[in-house]
């Protein structure tokens, strides 16, 4: 590992003011330190933001404000999260392992990097790691990679489960940086690869995530379903964050759907939502809505299985939520 300096920021303003080229913020280090060991990340200096006073989960009216330094395990087990946003609790607790969740922070989870095998192997070309060097995943192993929104330059997926639930819940991410503070919608923090796959998000250098704000929960019931290769310690092949509200006449009056494991960013299934609103609640409508969304999928030869898998997981999640 390349030698680096380490400093701990006292507060968000100091972290941003002291940020210089070559610095990287350090959360729990559960992704960044691995990437440093692999030679994928080579910061000159780590600015530790894991102990900033951003470690509270607080009610904000009927919504919630979550500090960026809140540990994943504290978020997933917080009484207010369990009571108001069970979908978010399930998403967070489905990620990684207990030990990793104890260290991992909200800010770091949102900004963790793709697990594309070529991205993590510095002996291979990769447009995300070294722009212009090529994408060996397209002709090679893309079995876990994207079927929606990808480009010729990159077919990576975003790995965070939490981000998928936040996209379904219309969360807002608060950031502060050298040019001031701003609020980014979810989805909206992460970007599709286009011809700049080296940029995972819309953040500018030195911008620090300070909090995530959740509006009041959507009406009805919600769930997070994740399909993976083993029961723990595995990223989603496909996941679905879903909320469903059904009126007295049996039609869908409210729906939220977001997909994980299928794109470079958490994927809000807007077409499926539009197809479902006002439709009779039931398997036929759910399958039609899933197909409306997945019509735009462009699978590669070794990940075509994700399209029927996503369809089935959407239908199953909605059926589970149907009263
Ligand atoms: C074996 C294994 C399995 C896993 N499985 C899953 C899974 O199934 N689902 C899942 O969602 N995750 C999974 N994870 C990922 C784990 O959840 C992440 O490693 C973790 O959430 C990253 O959080 P961190 O605080 O440790 O981030 P760090 O590693 O410290 O940082 C990650 C990135 O975020 C940046 N950063 C950190 N905090 C801030 C901030 N406040 N503002 C701006 N930038 C910041 C850092 O500079 C770095 O680029 C797994 C990890 C491992 C090792
Ligand atoms: S899919 Fe993206 S991250 Fe993976 S090798 Fe291609 S450019 Fe790199």
């Amino acid at each position: 590992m390349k030698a680096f300096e380490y400093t701990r920021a006292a507060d968000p303003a100091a972290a941003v003011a002291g940020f210089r080229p070559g610095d990287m913020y350090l959360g729990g280090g559960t992704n960044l330190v691995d990437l440093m060991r692999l030679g994928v990340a080579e910061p000159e200096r780590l600015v530790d933001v894991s102990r900033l006073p951003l470690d509270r989960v607080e009610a904000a009216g009927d919504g919630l404000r979550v500090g960026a330094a809140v540990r994943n395990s504290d978020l997933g087990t917080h009484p207010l999260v369990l009571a108001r946003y069970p979908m978010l609790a399930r998403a967070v607790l489905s990620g990684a392992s207990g030990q990793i969740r104890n260290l991992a922070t909200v800010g770091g989870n949102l900004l963790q990097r793709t697990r594309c095998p070529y991205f993590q192997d510095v002996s291979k070309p990769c447009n995300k790691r070294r722009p212009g060097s090529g994408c060996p995943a397209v002709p090679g192993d893309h079995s876990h990679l994207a079927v929606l929104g990808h480009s010729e330059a990159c077919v990576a997926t975003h790995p965070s489960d939490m981000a998928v639930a936040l996209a379904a819940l219309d969360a807002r991410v608060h950031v502060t940086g050298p040019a001031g503070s701003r609020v980014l919608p979810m989805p909206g923090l992460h970007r599709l690869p286009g011809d700049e796959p080296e940029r995972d998000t819309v953040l500018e250098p030195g911008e620090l995530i300070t909090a995530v704000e959740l509006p009041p929960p959507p009406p009805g019931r919600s769930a997070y379903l994740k399909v993976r290769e083993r029961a723990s310690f595995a990223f989603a092949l496909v996941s679905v964050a879903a909320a469903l509200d059904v009126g007295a006449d049996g039609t869908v009056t409210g729906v939220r759907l977001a997909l994980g494991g299928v794109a470079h960013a958490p994927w809000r299934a807007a077409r499926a939502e539009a197809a479902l609103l006002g439709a009779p609640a039931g398997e036929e409508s759910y399958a039609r809505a899933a197909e409306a969304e997945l019509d735009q999928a462009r699978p590669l030869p070794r990940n075509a299985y994700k399209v029927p898998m996503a369809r089935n997981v959407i239908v199953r999640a909605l059926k589970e939520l149907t009263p």
Side-chain angles (χ1 to χ4, degrees), residues 25 27-32 96 105 108-109 111-112 161 209 226 234-235:
Y25 292 129
T30 60
N31 182 219
L32 179 53
T105 60
N109 184 288
L111 298 185
Q112 60 176 298
D161 289 294
I209 296 181
K226 174 174 175 178
F235 293 92

Side-chain angles (χ1 to χ4, degrees), residues 223-240:
Y224 187 76
L225 292 190
K226 174 174 175 178
V227 181
R228 49 187 159 172
E229 284 179 333
R230 51 178 190 266
S232 89
F233 227 49
F235 293 92
L237 297 171
V238 171
S239 67
V240 175

Side-chain angles (χ1 to χ4, degrees), residues 16 19 23-26 49 68 106-113 158 172-192 196-212 264-265:
V16 169
F19 192 92
D23 283 357
M24 287 186 80
Y25 292 129
L26 177 72
V49 294
V106 165
N109 184 288
L110 290 175
L111 298 185
Q112 60 176 298
R113 309 296 309 272
H158 184 69
R172 287 149 53 92
V173 178
H174 291 247
V175 304
T176 183
S181 298
R182 58 185 179 137
V183 181
L184 298 165
M186 286 289 289
L189 168 65
H190 304 93
R191 53 186 298 288
L192 295 177
E196 279 185 302
E198 67 275 18
R199 292 186 61 214
D200 291 353
T201 70
V202 300
L203 294 184
E204 299 295 337
E207 280 195 308
L208 176 76
I209 296 181
T210 53
V212 171
H264 195 259

